[in-house]
Amino acid sequence: MSKQEQSFSLTIDGLPVTAGSGMTVLQAARQAGISIPTLCHHPQLSPFGGCRLCIVQIEGVPRPVTACTTPVSGGMVVTTDSSEISALRRTVLELILSDHPNDCMVCEAAGACDLQDLAYQFGLRDNPYPGERRLYEKRDANPFIERDMEKCIACGRCVKACDEIQGVGAINFTYRGFKTKICPPFERDLDCEFCGQCVQFCPTGALVGKQWDRAGRTLGVRPVKTVCGYCGVGCEVNIHVAGNRIVKVTVPDDAWNDGLLCVKGRFGYSFVQHHDRLTVPLVRRNGELAPASWDEALAVIANKLKQIRSAAGPDAIGGISSARCTNEENYAFQKFMRAIIGTNNVDHCARLCHAPTVAGLASIFGSGSMTNSIDEISGSEVLLLVGTNTKETHPVVANRMIEAKRRGAKIILIDPRRIPMARFADIHLRLRPGTNVALLKALAHVIVEEDLIDKEFIAEQTTGVESYLASLKAYAPEAVAGITGVPAEHIRAAARAYGSSRKAGIYYAMGITQHQSGTDNVRALAYLALLTGNIGRPHTGINPLRGQNNVQGACDAGCLPNVLPGYQKVGIPDNVEKFEQSWKTRLSAAPGMTMTEMIPAAASGVLKALYIMGENPVLTDPNASHTLLALKNLEFLVVQDIFLTETAELAHVVLPTACCYEKDGTFTNTERKVQRVRKAVEPPGKARDDLSILLDLTTAMGSKLGFTTPSEALQEFAALWEAMSGISYQRLEKGGLHWPCLDESHPGIKVRHAKGFRKGHAVFTPVEYRPAAEQVDPDFPFLLTTGRNLFHHHGGSMTRRVHPIELHAGRPYIEMNPEDAELMGIHTGDILRITSRRGSITVGALINRSVTPSVVFLPMHYREAAANILTSDSCDPVTKTPEFKVCAVKISTAETRAPKAEKLS
Ligand code: SF4
């Protein structure tokens, strides 16, 4: 029997208890339902034994010991409560409280303070130890977290959370004895990722979210359990509501994300109540958008869409739905376009990010989504991270990766930039942007050469391997080093590390997909998993990290021009017939236009009307000048959004909608988990949720969508797609469910392909390296790559209206290597003019080694330095996904800074 499998019998408070080796007395007691008070202990953190409240007596041990640091052993007899123990705990508490302010009445943590709870439990009223108290000047320059050091009990939970979970180590104990204080090095102001894990783990009111809106206490505040509205990780949150205002975000006790959030999820909620919110419908009259009633706005839309449909046909109308909207709203949107308008011209922002995932993985496995679950990450031996800036774009997934690292996993990072995950990487391959296929095939070359392949798996579960293996010959690391800039020995080391493990998981994001070779990149990556048999088992797989909160769900719901809900192909007679019968209407069998085809079609006049629900293509599509011209050329543009975005400013009708915390429904996160979204607050003014708008618009067009509530919409969707057939609102009340979930008692499948592939075999098809569409030349000597940062989300329409985030990260910047900067005489803060073949912006320089020489990085969030004025609209030929990650630019110093929020239109 291994050490881990050993178990011990012991007695706790007279009860026989069995505990595994490595467990502490505290864990064993809690497992047996015996409560022991603690303040410094937290189950997600390593034991500390600092507060001494968990002291217990162990037979044969002369003095009480801390239960949280004492390992169990066989035959141990433990007493967790006695008059002696109780008196000691009381004294410990009195000593802590003797140095604690008496302002419980106005403390933001009142009602949720562990110290207050214990004081109440022990009936403490007086301070028997009056004397010196620590007094600190209250001072904190950061806009997110308020530290009240007088309330700090030095339990160290914040220090451990910051170090062990977040991997940042921004704070630590300083000084000794009575002067002990937790603070950043040299007592500087806090400057960190502002994830707020320290706030969540603080047992008192020493760390609270900065009170821009002082009302975060539990009294009079109701928590509403829902899902974060930002990224595809889909963290569960409690939205704390006072009246109709959100005052705080925390994590429910039973949430799968274990108390963890990132800065956006925890502190990025004030956009909901921002004064810029749209509150009434707007209709363009005499060239100006003017307030209108809902009846009038919907009548204008219905009449105009009918008129265009009868004059130019249904395919003259396009629809772009939203990865920020619910599954039900997306299902309703595509049904509206297909069944009411009569076209398959429906798409959404997956086109701009993970369409190559859907196409690439589906062509190999028969379906395109994450093969494994987030929970499995921490148990992997090797994590291969490719083109994912996980710590900034999917921070809570990064927490699991850091946990895996702490447990001994190797992290291999493939990314041109020295991104924050590089701190945790054992091997970092800094390839030239756009050379992924060459590098991934070089890894495969080494895996084959060193016989690290899983022959049995390949023989039983795949086809086409011979031609694929033959295609690898030209990709020896030594040959590929010249293309990628990655030394051959580093490629070999990475290939050995990945190929030698049976628990190796691949994680990737838009650094892989946003290339003209996006689909090939996805395939080249997936073949590594097939070659080594690292798929179909826990802790392995190929796992795309989806960007927006519900981009997985919008794809699932059929907001793609070539597939009906559940990836059922348009044009296959059986599929069309199935949906025609359900929806009781004739459907078009011709695949529609992608979003990136709709824009040129609008420019050329082929597309006459566009209905956009919750997207802002002016800022988020490539080649913004062209997008602007195209949208201005439309006969009719409808935009449904929460703010008057750059795109909404061009619309003929603007409809004000509810945001993610103002409606009911479901989101599907990146790991295929469907979760309940619950309404926490009412939308402002006359804004309404997108589903009810679509229902009323359908009525105005003289038809019906066939459901009236989110739950009915999901029911209809689930009835049409086997993978969702076991999912219902009733079941989701108990927690999220992964699809495939095949019937009402099915638990949902976390590890896909465990029983083989849907198509029978996974298919190898050779892919070849093709250089990016734009290369540097003497006129445009820098490669520009774009992406996201930690603090903002996508086009920034939400995060840029969050005051603390804007205070901290409100300035656009371009990252440049010091060598380039020195050659050009550029310093951090200098204003640069960046010019591509499509346009020009001005932006401040940030000189650092995050980028290699000749490469510059520009975040996509800032309208006043819009990255997509520069980016190229060269597309992946399979999915028409633009190559956001590579374009050639030139750089000069600008005379003056661009005006803030320069108007794109
Ligand atoms: Fe929200 Fe994503 Fe941050 Fe979780 S990781 S809190 S889902 S933005």
Side-chain angles (χ1 to χ4, degrees):
M1 186 180 272
S2 74
K3 201 176 171 209
Q4 281 89 356
E5 288 161 349
Q6 270 183 352
S7 61
F8 296 114
S9 298
L10 61 157
T11 307
I12 306 181
D13 293 346
L15 285 174
V17 171
T18 305
S21 64
M23 283 178 83
T24 63
V25 170
L26 180 68
Q27 287 170 322
R30 288 189 172 169
Q31 183 181 274
I34 296 164
S35 165
I36 297 176
T38 57
L39 280 172
C40 72
H41 176 78
H42 193 284
Q44 285 166 255
L45 305 172
S46 61
F48 180 36
C51 75
R52 320 303 288 176
L53 270 174
C54 67
I55 46 174
V56 294
Q57 285 165 319
I58 296 177
E59 214 171 80
V61 177
R63 278 179 294 279
V65 295
T66 47
C68 70
T69 54
T70 305
V72 291
S73 59
M76 206 177 226
V77 178
V78 182
T79 303
T80 69
D81 206 1
S82 66
S83 53
E84 186 194 345
I85 291 284
S86 184
L88 283 170
R89 285 183 184 146
R90 188 182 173 88
T91 304
V92 168
L93 270 176
E94 284 171 340
L95 284 167
I96 293 172
L97 286 165
S98 71
D99 186 26
H100 200 79
N102 299 319
D103 66 348
C104 285
M105 290 298 285
V106 289
C107 178
E108 285 299 313
C113 170
D114 293 355
L115 181 61
Q116 188 187 53
D117 288 350
L118 284 170
Y120 189 82
Q121 190 183 320
F122 279 79
L124 301 183
R125 286 180 178 277
D126 306 316
N127 176 9
Y129 302 106
E132 197 185 352
R133 276 203 35 218
R134 293 169 305 155
L135 296 172
Y136 297 109
E137 191 188 329
K138 289 195 179 68
R139 172 189 65 91
D140 242 318
N142 83 79
F144 300 102
I145 297 170
E146 192 168 293
R147 292 185 296 153
D148 184 344
M149 296 314 296
E150 290 172 27
K151 290 177 184 159
C152 174
I153 59 171
C155 67
R157 274 164 52 162
C158 55
V159 174
K160 283 174 178 288
C162 188
D163 179 28
E164 296 175 8
I165 292 177
Q166 203 62 19
V168 169
I171 45 176
N172 212 331
F173 290 94
T174 46
Y175 310 115
R176 290 290 175 269
F178 190 65
K179 289 187 174 163
T180 299
K181 183 179 182 186
I182 291 171
C183 59
F186 308 106
E187 294 216 42
R188 290 189 187 123
D189 286 324
L190 199 56
D191 184 12
C192 60
E193 295 175 359
F194 296 109
C195 60
Q197 270 31 310
C198 54
V199 174
Q200 180 87 20
F201 282 78
C202 176
T204 71
L207 292 166
V208 293
K210 203 151 243 178
Q211 299 302 303
W212 297 99
D213 181 8
R214 199 167 185 85
R217 290 170 294 171
T218 50
L219 291 175
V221 175
R222 67 189 162 90
V224 179
K225 187 177 177 181
T226 184
V227 179
C228 173
Y230 284 110
C231 87
V233 178
C235 296
E236 288 185 284
V237 290
N238 262 341
I239 302 293
H240 295 254
V241 181
N244 194 45
R245 288 187 74 76
I246 299 175
V247 293
K248 183 164 72 173
V249 176
T250 60
V251 184
D253 289 343
D254 59 350
W256 68 264
N257 41 305
D258 292 333
L260 308 182
L261 294 175
C262 74
V263 60
K264 297 183 284 289
R266 199 181 301 277
F267 299 118
Y269 55 83
S270 55
F271 74 90
V272 177
Q273 273 110 17
H274 197 277
H275 53 77
D276 281 353
R277 284 291 300 274
L278 286 167
T279 55
V280 289
L282 304 171
V283 172
R284 193 168 291 277
R285 293 191 198 99
N286 303 321
E288 298 290 324
L289 284 170
S293 69
W294 273 104
D295 285 349
E296 183 193 355
L298 293 177
V300 169
I301 300 170
N303 291 338
K304 193 70 188 173
L305 291 180
K306 281 198 274 189
Q307 184 198 326
I308 291 172
R309 184 177 56 184
S310 66
D315 290 336
I317 302 171
I320 297 175
S321 80
S322 176
R324 289 182 221 193
C325 290
T326 63
N327 288 325
E328 296 74 7
E329 288 163 341
N330 277 293
Y331 178 79
F333 188 87
Q334 61 81 38
K335 187 173 179 183
F336 174 80
M337 293 305 299
R338 291 187 159 115
I340 310 301
I341 301 292
T343 179
N344 284 311
N345 289 343
V346 56
D347 205 1
H348 72 291
C349 70
R351 186 67 44 206
L352 308 179
C353 56
H354 272 287
T357 288
V358 176
L361 297 188
S363 71
I364 299 170
F365 304 130
S367 78
S369 55
M370 212 164 136
T371 59
N372 291 60
S373 68
I374 293 172
D375 278 350
E376 293 164 53
I377 295 173
S378 52
S380 291
E381 289 172 353
V382 173
L383 298 171
L384 175 57
L385 315 182
V386 192
T388 163
N389 181 7
T390 325
K391 207 159 190 341
E392 297 199 78
T393 58
H394 300 87
V396 170
V397 165
N399 291 134
R400 297 290 163 102
M401 292 170 173
I402 293 166
E403 191 184 343
K405 173 83 183 170
R406 284 182 51 232
R407 292 180 181 192
K410 260 202 171 118
I411 295 184
I412 306 162
L413 177 65
I414 300 180
D415 199 285
R417 295 171 60 219
R418 187 177 289 154
I419 50 177
M421 274 316 283
R423 289 206 314 272
F424 305 92
D426 297 275
I427 302 171
H428 182 186
L429 308 184
R430 297 186 77 178
L431 77 175
R432 281 195 194 104
T435 60
N436 292 285
V437 168
L439 182 58
L440 297 171
K441 289 196 77 170
L443 292 176
H445 179 103
V446 177
I447 286 168
V448 173
E449 190 178 72
E450 303 201 2
D451 198 20
L452 300 172
I453 60 175
D454 185 337
K455 295 189 188 83
E456 198 180 322
F457 176 87
I458 293 170
E460 285 175 6
Q461 303 223 35
T462 72
T463 59
V465 74
E466 294 78 12
S467 57
Y468 171 71
L469 293 181
S471 80
L472 295 177
K473 292 209 170 73
Y475 292 88
E478 291 69 21
V480 165
I483 300 170
T484 60
V486 179
E489 63 273 25
H490 294 186
I491 298 175
R492 289 188 183 280
R496 275 178 211 128
Y498 176 78
S500 307
S501 172
R502 296 286 293 156
K503 281 190 185 175
I506 295 172
Y507 295 83
Y508 72 92
M510 285 173 271
I512 274 289
T513 56
Q514 288 181 333
H515 292 274
Q516 66 152 358
S517 57
T519 306
D520 287 349
N521 289 344
V522 171
R523 287 186 182 136
L525 202 44
Y527 296 150
L528 295 178
L530 287 182
L531 275 182
T532 56
N534 271 312
I535 193 157
R537 289 179 289 105
H539 316 295
T540 65
I542 168 121
N543 298 294
L545 299 171
R546 311 296 297 255
Q548 301 230 41
N549 54 329
N550 198 34
V551 69
Q552 180 69 52
C555 290
D556 299 345
C559 291
L560 296 167
N562 59 336
V563 289
L564 292 152
Y567 308 96
Q568 299 171 75
K569 275 201 174 138
V570 162
I572 304 272
D574 283 355
N575 296 344
V576 175
E577 194 185 324
K578 173 177 164 183
F579 280 87
E580 283 183 344
Q581 274 183 10
S582 168
W583 293 352
K584 299 183 179 55
T585 189
R586 300 281 300 169
L587 294 175
S588 166
M593 281 188 259
T594 64
M595 197 169 157
T596 41
E597 288 168 330
M598 288 183 211
I599 297 300
S604 69
V606 170
L607 194 78
K608 303 207 175 299
L610 189 56
Y611 194 132
I612 301 178
M613 176 173 83
E615 275 296 328
N616 187 11
V618 171
L619 213 59
T620 57
D621 278 24
N623 196 355
S625 323
H626 182 245
T627 306
L628 269 172
L629 283 176
L631 295 179
K632 284 179 179 173
N633 196 41
L634 285 164
E635 191 178 322
F636 191 53
L637 175 64
V638 181
V639 175
Q640 204 163 294
D641 213 312
I642 61 174
F643 295 112
L644 192 68
T645 61
E646 291 77 5
T647 305
E649 284 171 8
L650 307 173
H652 298 91
V653 181
V654 178
L655 302 177
T657 63
C659 75
C660 54
Y661 301 135
E662 296 165 343
K663 57 189 168 189
D664 284 299
T666 57
F667 289 153
T668 305
N669 77 350
T670 188
E671 55 171 342
R672 299 172 277 106
K673 185 161 61 193
V674 184
Q675 304 186 96
R676 264 296 260 122
V677 171
R678 296 178 182 86
K679 182 175 184 172
V681 286
E682 292 296 331
K686 293 182 176 162
R688 301 167 54 184
D689 65 87
D690 296 85
L691 182 64
S692 75
I693 295 171
L694 291 167
L695 289 168
D696 282 359
L697 177 60
T698 309
T699 306
M701 292 196 64
S703 198
K704 291 274 175 240
L705 275 181
F707 42 79
T708 55
T709 64
S711 145
E712 286 171 11
L714 188 81
Q715 207 178 338
E716 181 180 303
F717 173 22
L720 286 162
W721 186 31
E722 190 195 15
M724 287 269 283
S725 56
I727 295 180
S728 64
Y729 272 47
Q730 201 183 0
R731 289 193 71 190
L732 292 176
E733 283 307 316
K734 296 190 192 119
L737 285 165
H738 290 75
W739 66 255
C741 179
L742 303 173
D743 61 53
E744 281 163 22
S745 57
H746 194 277
I749 293 174
K750 289 190 176 180
V751 180
R752 299 208 71 188
H753 315 306
K755 294 181 182 163
F757 299 103
R758 213 170 103 198
K759 288 162 61 167
H761 289 88
V763 187
F764 278 104
T765 319
V767 290
E768 298 299 341
Y769 164 65
R770 287 178 288 123
E774 282 197 3
Q775 298 293 324
V776 294
D777 59 27
D779 291 337
F780 295 94
F782 287 91
L783 270 188
L784 170 77
T785 185
T786 66
R788 301 179 182 191
N789 66 27
L790 172 66
F791 292 91
H792 285 291
H793 186 63
H794 209 50
S797 62
M798 299 193 299
T799 46
R800 296 215 64 196
R801 289 180 173 93
V802 174
H803 185 56
I805 289 182
E806 197 56 6
L807 270 179
H808 186 74
R811 285 210 162 187
Y813 57 89
I814 189 162
E815 290 181 354
M816 186 183 219
N817 185 280
E819 287 177 31
D820 293 327
E822 195 181 338
L823 277 175
M824 297 181 70
I826 293 170
H827 303 94
T828 288
D830 287 355
I831 305 304
L832 307 181
R833 178 160 292 282
I834 316 295
T835 306
S836 77
R837 289 186 174 86
R838 289 150 295 278
S840 178
I841 62 165
T842 54
V843 62
L846 177 62
I847 311 302
N848 63 30
R849 295 197 180 275
S850 160
V851 283
T852 47
S854 304
V855 176
V856 286
F857 169 77
L858 182 67
M860 65 171 290
H861 316 291
Y862 301 93
R863 63 176 290 182
E864 62 271 38
N868 286 323
I869 288 177
L870 306 171
T871 50
S872 149
D873 44 13
S874 296
C875 283
D876 174 40
V878 180
T879 61
K880 313 294 179 211
T881 298
E883 188 159 56
F884 289 106
K885 292 295 184 219
V886 189
C887 82
V889 294
K890 60 183 171 190
I891 296 173
S892 57
T893 44
E895 294 295 308
T896 50
R897 177 184 285 280
K900 193 154 167 61
E902 187 176 24
K903 246 179 123 56
L904 287 166
S905 50

